[in-house]
Amino acid sequence: MTHPAWQYGFDDGPALAVDPGTGDVYVAFTRSLSVNHATMQWSVSRDHGATWSAPATVSRSLVRPHLASLAVASDGDVYLAGIDAKRGIWVARSTDGARSFGAPVRAAPLVQNPAFGCALSAYSPLPQEDRLCIGPDPTVTVRKGQVDVVFGDGGANGAGDVFLAALTPGLRPLFRTQVNPVDKGKTGQFLPVAAADPSTGRLWACWYDTTYDPRGHRAWFTCSVSRNGRTWSPPERAARVPTAPLDLFAVASQNGLYPALAAAAGTAHPLWPDGRAIPLSIDVFTAALR
């Protein structure tokens, strides 16, 4: 689909979305442009992936952008989110089937922002975005009348939490809220993922959570659901068996293995890595949550 932009260039961290109405396929990714510069680009296929448009830069105003996330609205508008060193969490919108994108809009600042150097080594971009940019892991979703970005960040107590930034379809900020219950301890919530159920309009979010271990040495993959993004159901453990957080971060940093989530017909289908089966090893598990 693409060729390196220069001798040692690379394309990394791809995100994919499909317009169910037209069958158009969209991809966004980080592209190395020079020794010390990388940017976010996108491409579109209008023949089910057989051929692709030439990659184009989302915006030259983005500063070291990473962690692309894509979503397609029911009217065909395309939303692209990510992180950068200037804005934190940003979102851009295309109203012409990804022939062009508008200016990125800041959705939320980041307390812990890895964007400036997470995929750089000795000022040379490396194809290690999914291994080194761990942290915010934003997911953009679109529901009727609302665009939501779920992401992780440092909380007031220094531990990780999961947050949501809501915007109008035109990318006017609406509100920000914490998804996981507020706690006074030092529990951690990390590696979030989200999905909107088109049949019910509900938004699901899942993450790893150490709340159930006072020492924070074990984490369970946990999910919650919301009708409006402001209030959330009590978190439910999708995983009955916990995994050490260090093992989870190790597998993400070693091979870029992250959780995923799909939702349809009132049921959420999370898939997540955990270490229950074999000591010091990670497998992928799934569940159906209603």
Side-chain angles (χ1 to χ4, degrees), residues 93-118:
R93 177 194 186 196
S94 172
T95 59
D96 57 7
R99 291 173 176 84
S100 63
F101 276 89
V105 172
R106 187 189 205 189
L110 287 173
V111 175
Q112 299 173 350
N113 188 350
F116 186 79
C118 63

Side-chain angles (χ1 to χ4, degrees), residues 11 54 75 125 135 138 164 178 203 214 252:
D11 298 320
D75 61 2
L164 176 141
Q178 184 169 320
L203 178 64

Side-chain angles (χ1 to χ4, degrees), residues 6 8 12 18 27 38 44 50-51 65 74 79 81 83 96 98 125 157 162 179 206 209 240 265:
W6 63 296
Y8 301 107
D12 197 28
V18 179
V27 65
V44 58
T51 60
S74 58
Y79 293 88
I83 69 171
D96 57 7
N157 57 18
V162 178
V179 175
C206 300
D209 200 326
R240 294 191 302 271

Side-chain angles (χ1 to χ4, degrees), residues 51-288:
T51 60
W52 294 83
S53 64
T57 299
V58 176
S59 173
R60 298 190 183 278
S61 69
L62 293 171
V63 180
R64 302 200 188 283
H66 301 286
L67 301 178
S69 177
L70 280 166
V72 183
S74 58
D75 61 2
D77 285 358
V78 184
Y79 293 88
L80 171 57
I83 69 171
D84 85 332
K86 180 179 178 180
R87 295 172 178 82
I89 302 290
W90 57 267
V91 186
R93 177 194 186 196
S94 172
T95 59
D96 57 7
R99 291 173 176 84
S100 63
F101 276 89
V105 172
R106 187 189 205 189
L110 287 173
V111 175
Q112 299 173 350
N113 188 350
F116 186 79
C118 63
L120 297 178
S121 175
Y123 299 101
S124 297
L126 297 174
Q128 298 182 3
E129 178 157 319
D130 288 338
R131 296 171 57 185
L132 299 179
C133 300
I134 299 171
D137 307 312
T139 303
V140 63
T141 65
V142 187
R143 298 176 294 151
K144 185 177 180 179
Q146 192 164 306
V147 177
D148 300 304
V149 185
V150 173
F151 61 97
D153 197 13
N157 57 18
D161 287 297
V162 178
F163 299 92
L164 176 141
L167 306 94
T168 67
L171 299 186
R172 178 175 60 84
L174 290 173
F175 62 88
R176 300 174 193 162
T177 190
Q178 184 169 320
V179 175
N180 60 282
V182 177
D183 63 76
K184 297 180 180 180
K186 292 188 178 297
T187 63
Q189 292 79 33
F190 53 92
L191 297 179
V193 66
D197 186 335
S199 61
T200 65
R202 293 185 179 183
L203 178 64
W204 288 84
C206 300
W207 61 89
Y208 292 99
D209 200 326
T210 66
T211 295
Y212 312 103
D213 182 353
R215 300 175 301 169
H217 294 170
R218 298 177 297 167
W220 287 258
F221 196 66
T222 303
C223 297
S224 183
V225 64
S226 175
R227 293 178 180 272
N228 54 21
R230 293 181 181 270
T231 57
W232 292 80
S233 67
E236 176 184 355
R237 283 184 283 186
R240 294 191 302 271
V241 179
T243 301
L246 289 178
D247 291 344
L248 296 169
F249 281 113
V251 73
S253 63
Q254 289 172 6
N255 57 30
L257 186 61
Y258 287 79
L261 179 63
T267 301
H269 301 275
L271 295 98
W272 69 93
D274 77 29
R276 73 180 70 178
I278 303 173
L280 303 178
S281 181
I282 295 291
D283 292 286
V284 176
F285 293 83
T286 188

